[in-house]
């Protein structure tokens, strides 16, 4: 048994959060989300069509079954991100928001100043803010102080599939903040997700690793199992690392005459 992940006062058993972009079809997206076992699904506000304006991503993601996590993807200023969050709330998507304020179009790294500013504003306005951030322990603590309900450090650049490039910073972040830590961006395969969870992270958010794989449904299943295994391994407690060998079958106490 494990404690649930708590975000904005709500409890979630699944610690895997998945996205909805980059799939070859909405039907495949729906199958992959189901296979992932995720309870939270993130959607770009700009991809959500208004009622009566044609096919919407929400036609394939049941809001009664999944908790929607609208995100401010594509926003390059704090003001733009705040307006997008307001739009999500007005559209009925709720007050849980994945906050992105991008500072560079090539790397998609966050704009630190804009991210802090937008976090303060949205938290003050009653949003449950989950900011996408660098793997910077100092910034993580400042985001917590600004009212963030969780911090979401990148494992590597968005969509890169490079895995957890700096596990030591992630570990320091875990020791620095008291809010949940969710690795967001950079996961490429199941072992990356397991590593994030073995470090002690509360969850993992991913999109491209599943949607861009050869078999998204199979990869979604692998990611679900990896997150579960990594969390269980963290809770179990790994053995210490040692430079030299330690016999698996100790001979202390074995009589000299024993074969």
């Amino acid at each position: 048994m494990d404690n649930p992940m708590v975000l904005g006062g709500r409890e979630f058993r699944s610690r895997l959060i998945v996205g909805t972009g980059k799939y070859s079809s909405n039907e495949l997206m729906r199958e992959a989300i189901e296979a992932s076992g995720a309870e939270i699904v993130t959607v770009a506000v700009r991809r959500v069509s208004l009622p009566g304006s044609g096919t919407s991503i929400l036609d394939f993601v049941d809001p009664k079954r999944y908790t929607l996590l609208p995100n401010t993807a594509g926003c390059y200023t704090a003001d733009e991100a705040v307006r997008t969050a307001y739009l999500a709330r007005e559209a009925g998507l709720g007050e849980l928001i994945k906050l992105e304020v991008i500072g560079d179009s090539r790397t998609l790294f966050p704009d630190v100043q804009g991210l802090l500013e937008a976090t303060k504003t949205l938290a003050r306005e009653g949003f449950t803010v989950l900011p996408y951030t660098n793997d910077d322990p100092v910034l993580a603590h400042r985001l917590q102080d600004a009212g963030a309900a969780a911090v979401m450090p990148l494992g590597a650049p968005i969509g890169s599939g490079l895995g957890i490039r700096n596990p030591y910073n992630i570990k320091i972040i875990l020791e620095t903040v008291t809010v949940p830590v969710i690795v967001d961006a950079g996961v490429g395969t199941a072992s990356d997700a397991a590593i994030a969870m073995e470090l002690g992270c509360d969850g993992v958010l991913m999109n491209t690793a599943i949607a861009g794989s050869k078999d998204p449904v199979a990869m979604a299943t692998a990611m679900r199992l990896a997150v579960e295994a990594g969390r269980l391994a963290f809770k179990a407690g790994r053995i210490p690392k040692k430079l030299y060998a330690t016999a698996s079958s100790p001979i202390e106490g074995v009589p000299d005459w024993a074969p």
Side-chain angles (χ1 to χ4, degrees):
M1 299 297 293
D2 189 12
N3 295 327
M5 179 173 64
V6 180
L7 296 172
R10 298 187 60 180
E11 297 184 349
F12 300 94
R13 289 293 172 184
S14 173
R15 294 174 179 274
L16 175 60
I17 303 172
V18 296
T20 53
K22 301 184 178 181
Y23 285 92
S24 60
S25 71
N26 286 326
E27 291 76 13
L28 181 60
M29 175 198 69
R30 180 166 54 193
E31 290 182 49
I33 291 174
E34 184 173 352
S36 74
E39 297 173 84
I40 305 175
V41 178
T42 183
V43 295
V45 176
R46 296 179 178 187
R47 295 185 63 222
V48 178
S49 302
L50 296 175
S53 60
T55 302
S56 170
I57 197 75
L58 300 184
D59 294 333
F60 298 88
V61 181
D62 185 359
K64 296 180 180 179
R65 180 175 180 183
Y66 301 103
T67 295
L68 297 180
L69 176 60
N71 68 60
T72 63
C75 294
Y76 283 81
T77 67
D79 287 344
E80 187 180 10
V82 169
R83 287 197 303 270
T84 302
Y86 287 150
L87 178 62
R89 184 163 64 180
E90 291 299 318
L93 298 180
E95 296 181 330
L96 186 67
I97 192 82
K98 178 193 171 188
L99 179 62
E100 296 184 28
V101 182
I102 302 302
D104 177 68
S105 61
R106 184 171 64 89
T107 63
L108 299 182
F109 285 153
D111 177 338
V112 174
Q113 183 175 347
L115 187 64
L116 276 170
E117 180 183 336
T119 297
K120 290 178 183 178
T121 299
L122 293 175
R124 188 171 58 246
E125 293 296 321
F127 284 87
T128 299
V129 186
L130 313 181
Y132 156 71
T133 179
N134 292 318
D135 55 353
D136 180 348
V138 175
L139 177 58
H141 193 273
R142 289 181 178 174
L143 287 167
Q144 176 179 269
D145 290 345
V151 292
M152 306 180 76
L154 54 82
I158 292 175
S160 67
L162 291 172
I164 311 299
R165 293 293 84 199
N166 197 337
Y168 307 105
N169 272 23
I170 300 293
K171 194 69 175 177
I172 296 172
I173 290 173
L174 287 163
E175 297 173 354
T176 301
V177 302
T178 57
V179 296
V181 176
I182 301 170
V183 165
D184 178 12
V187 169
T189 190
S191 58
D192 299 331
I195 288 171
M197 298 307 296
E198 288 172 5
L199 287 170
C201 293
D202 296 273
V204 181
L205 189 153
M206 65 184 71
N207 181 66
T208 305
I210 295 176
S213 66
K214 293 181 179 179
D215 187 338
V217 176
M219 184 60 80
T221 302
M223 292 300 188
R224 172 176 59 81
L225 296 173
V227 168
E228 292 173 358
R231 176 66 179 177
L232 188 58
F234 169 73
K235 297 287 287 185
R238 65 160 294 140
I239 64 171
K241 294 182 180 181
K242 298 180 180 179
L243 183 60
Y244 299 104
T246 301
S248 298
S249 301
I251 60 174
E252 288 82 358
V254 177
D256 293 340
W257 50 263

